[in-house]
């Protein structure tokens, strides 16, 4: 029983962290989506953000489909590997 409570607490903690990250997103942030697309937020609303995924290529994305922020270092590594 104690183990189940620990797991539940960990799930709640991770869910809160994800929600806080989504709320903190702002224009200019580099992000990766749950589908693996990398982009930069160029406009945003409460539920939908506009991502620029390539030069002059912009898509609307549900905010909840953003998996996380991407560090600039990671972005440079991606460009260098092409």
């Amino acid at each position: 029983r104690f183990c189940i409570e620990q797991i539940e607490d960990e799930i709640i903690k991770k869910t809160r962290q994800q929600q806080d990250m989504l709320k903190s997103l702002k224009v200019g942030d580099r992000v990766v989506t749950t589908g693996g697309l990398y982009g930069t937020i160029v406009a945003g609303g409460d539920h939908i953000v506009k991502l620029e995924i390539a030069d002059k290529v912009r898509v609307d994305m549900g905010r909840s489909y953003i998996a996380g922020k991407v560090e600039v270092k990671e972005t440079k590594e991606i460009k260098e590997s092409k």
Side-chain angles (χ1 to χ4, degrees):
R1 181 163 168 88
F2 178 70
C3 187
I4 292 172
E5 289 173 2
Q6 281 182 317
I7 293 170
E8 288 174 344
D9 289 344
E10 189 64 29
I11 291 170
I12 290 169
K13 180 181 173 184
K14 287 184 185 270
T15 301
R16 275 196 199 122
Q17 288 173 342
Q18 179 71 7
Q19 289 172 344
D20 290 344
M21 182 274 301
L22 291 174
K23 287 178 186 176
S24 74
L25 293 174
K26 60 189 180 305
V27 172
D29 284 345
R30 267 308 268 165
V31 296
V32 61
T33 68
T34 55
L37 289 175
Y38 285 80
T40 301
I41 298 175
V42 294
D46 290 338
H47 302 287
I48 297 174
V49 296
K50 188 173 293 285
L51 295 182
E52 184 169 70
I53 56 174
D55 288 339
K56 300 180 184 177
V57 179
R58 295 179 176 191
V59 295
D60 290 336
M61 179 72 55
R63 190 176 282 262
S64 62
Y65 290 99
I66 295 176
K69 292 183 182 181
V70 177
E71 299 297 321
V72 175
K73 178 182 174 187
E74 293 178 50
T75 304
K76 288 180 182 175
E77 289 174 1
I78 292 167
K79 288 180 181 176
E80 290 173 1
S81 67
K82 289 184 177 180

